[in-house]
Amino acid sequence: MPHSGMLPPGSWLGCLGGGQLGRMFVHAAQAMGYQVLVLDPDANGPAAQAANDVIVAQYDDMNAIDALAARVAAVTTEFENVPAASLERLAAKIPTRPGASAVRVAQDRRKEKRFFSANGLPVGEFAVIESANDLDAAADSLFPGILKTATLGYDGKGQKRVASRAEALSAFNSFSHTPCVLEALVPFAMEVSVLVARDATGETCVWPVQENEHVNGILDLTIVPARIATDMSARAQTLAKQLVTALDYVGVLCVEIFVTKSGALLLNEIAPRPHNSGHYTIEACVTSQFEQQARVLAGAPLGDTSLVQPAVMVNVLGDVWFDPATSMQPAWNEILAMSGVHLHLYGKAEPRRARKMGHVTCVAATLDDALGSAREVKRVLRIT
Ligand code: AMP
């Protein structure tokens, strides 16, 4: 169903999913005067705490999905594993951004990689592995590689590095022969990501390229602007725009890209939603990724994505609560005393190791200064 003009502030917007991305979407939508109804199984999750109202239900509960559709003017999602059937049911009744077909591609690494190849987007060597025979037939050049389950993997979960065919077979066995993708290990010089938004009229906009550092498969640091040549940034941004257009995507999306040592760009994966590496946009860009998500959903014009000042974001995982030296409560006062430092905590009651509990964004007049603040934040929070 097409939008007929912008939804008036005061309207209800829906959000399928209740994590931190939903929470920050709620904050941005409410700042523009919208009311947000969250559907999530957890009545007290990060987004539910901030929302105007909550439907507590599973994402595949079609009665709850119908109740959501009846109460909101448009709906978005904050994670890619929402059942596509639920999005389809919503889309039959109200504008649903992004739509089920785009989310389906992002939910399955097989579809994602084939989509990249079919649309001429650069991707590293890969093979779809659905049986031990597929592994036997895989090219030698895929080793050393990474075996990843086709669905439900995130933050390095559901993937194993494999040096040889024999190791790949034992990894495939350990994944109970669930369909996988085998990727050749990319000798990357840097990992970057690009946030891109596309509205219902097909207009696109990109944010500056983000440089990402991971620890144990989880994002640790995002540095903006990425320390790569301007023409390489422009290439990455062009790829992101081509991708959302080919996907006929409506909403905010993040593309993760490897910059190889020889200067090539290879697409890794896409997230059909705002992304952890885009949290810095709240303080550092004219329009944040969450405000843009609300604008697209409401049928409003896209906002300016320019960078106002360099930024470095530090992820805060539950591990910092377990350091004996912090006496179970990190030294927030020390980091809040620093200039240009912004603390975001997601309201999660229970800190667990490797659980994303919050993030800290450091902004400064120069990237070197922002990096210096981020180093100090990590020292104070004892993030190694
Ligand atoms: P993913 O869940 O696919 O984003 O993978 C998590 C992290 O594993 C990435 O951010 C990379 O650091 C690393 N990784 C994933 N795939 C590859 C690859 N083909 N080659 C090298 N490193 C990879």
Side-chain angles (χ1 to χ4, degrees):
M1 198 185 292
H3 269 281
S4 50
M6 177 183 155
L7 293 173
S11 307
W12 281 83
L13 302 177
C15 180
L16 214 48
Q20 60 268 19
L21 298 172
R23 178 185 179 92
M24 290 181 269
F25 165 74
V26 169
H27 290 153
Q30 287 175 341
M32 293 167 69
Y34 293 101
Q35 308 192 69
V36 184
L37 176 59
V38 163
L39 187 152
D40 192 62
D42 182 354
N44 198 34
Q49 290 170 27
N52 297 83
D53 204 357
V54 191
I55 295 176
V56 181
Q58 300 297 325
Y59 306 120
D60 59 357
D61 175 341
M62 291 303 168
N63 290 329
I65 292 291
D66 288 346
L68 176 68
R71 287 184 57 193
V72 301
V75 65
T76 187
T77 73
E78 60 108 49
F79 75 123
E80 55 269 43
N81 291 325
V82 51
S86 299
L87 287 181
E88 264 160 15
R89 188 148 175 139
L90 287 165
K93 298 177 175 172
I94 50 171
T96 302
R97 319 277 191 226
S101 60
V103 172
R104 262 211 190 92
V105 171
Q107 278 174 344
D108 188 324
R109 291 187 193 274
R110 291 168 296 183
K111 292 196 176 102
E112 193 175 48
K113 295 266 191 264
R114 285 171 173 152
F115 172 81
F116 295 159
S117 300
N119 287 283
L121 296 162
V123 58
E125 195 185 352
F126 72 95
V128 170
I129 306 295
E130 289 166 339
S131 68
N133 286 344
D134 290 338
L135 263 181
D136 284 340
D140 289 342
S141 48
L142 285 163
F143 302 101
I146 303 192
L147 189 72
K148 302 178 178 177
T149 57
T151 59
L152 299 175
Y154 67 99
D155 286 345
K157 293 192 175 69
Q159 52 181 268
K160 280 199 179 135
R161 283 185 181 229
V162 290
S164 63
R165 206 176 294 273
E167 276 187 31
L169 189 59
S170 82
F172 188 52
N173 289 338
S174 76
F175 292 147
S176 309
H177 291 202
T178 184
C180 287
V181 165
L182 174 63
E183 297 176 17
L185 204 63
V186 175
F188 61 78
M190 187 188 285
E191 290 187 77
V192 299
S193 55
V194 183
L195 278 171
V196 52
R198 184 167 177 272
D199 71 13
T201 72
E203 182 108 0
T204 59
C205 62
V206 282
W207 279 262
V209 177
Q210 299 130 203
E211 174 181 342
N212 299 320
E213 290 179 10
H214 294 83
V215 174
N216 299 326
I218 303 178
L219 185 66
D220 177 51
L221 215 62
T222 295
I223 299 163
V224 194
R227 293 167 292 181
I228 54 176
T230 318
D231 65 324
M232 190 182 278
S233 284
R235 261 198 288 148
Q237 289 172 318
T238 301
L239 288 176
K241 284 188 173 185
Q242 283 170 351
L243 188 147
V244 282
T245 304
L247 203 51
D248 195 19
Y249 189 84
V250 180
V252 173
L253 177 144
C254 187
V255 195
E256 295 182 35
I257 302 174
F258 297 124
V259 179
T260 69
K261 290 184 177 143
S262 57
L265 299 176
L266 297 176
L267 269 51
N268 175 23
E269 61 178 7
I270 55 174
R273 51 171 171 77
H275 193 257
N276 193 166
S277 64
H279 292 351
Y280 77 95
T281 58
I282 296 174
E283 285 90 8
C285 292
V286 178
T287 307
S288 78
Q289 59 174 350
F290 303 105
E291 178 180 335
Q292 203 78 296
Q293 184 182 18
R295 283 173 175 250
V296 173
L297 193 56
L302 292 172
D304 178 355
T305 51
S306 306
L307 188 70
V308 177
Q309 50 191 344
V312 179
M313 185 222 60
V314 180
N315 254 354
V316 178
L317 304 183
D319 303 62
V320 306
W321 275 258
F322 291 92
D323 190 323
T326 62
S327 345
M328 299 303 286
Q329 195 51 240
W332 307 125
N333 56 339
E334 275 186 57
I335 60 169
L336 288 170
M338 295 166 57
S339 134
V341 168
H342 301 270
L343 174 66
H344 295 255
L345 290 170
Y346 307 143
K348 297 182 183 177
E350 189 198 342
R352 289 197 298 268
R353 288 192 188 277
R355 187 178 201 202
K356 290 177 180 170
M357 300 296 290
H359 70 269
V360 176
T361 300
C362 307
V363 290
T366 68
L367 187 54
D368 272 351
D369 288 347
L371 279 164
S373 297
R375 268 193 296 276
E376 180 60 9
V377 166
K378 289 185 81 168
R379 189 192 65 74
V380 170
L381 296 181
R382 304 169 78 86
I383 299 171
T384 46

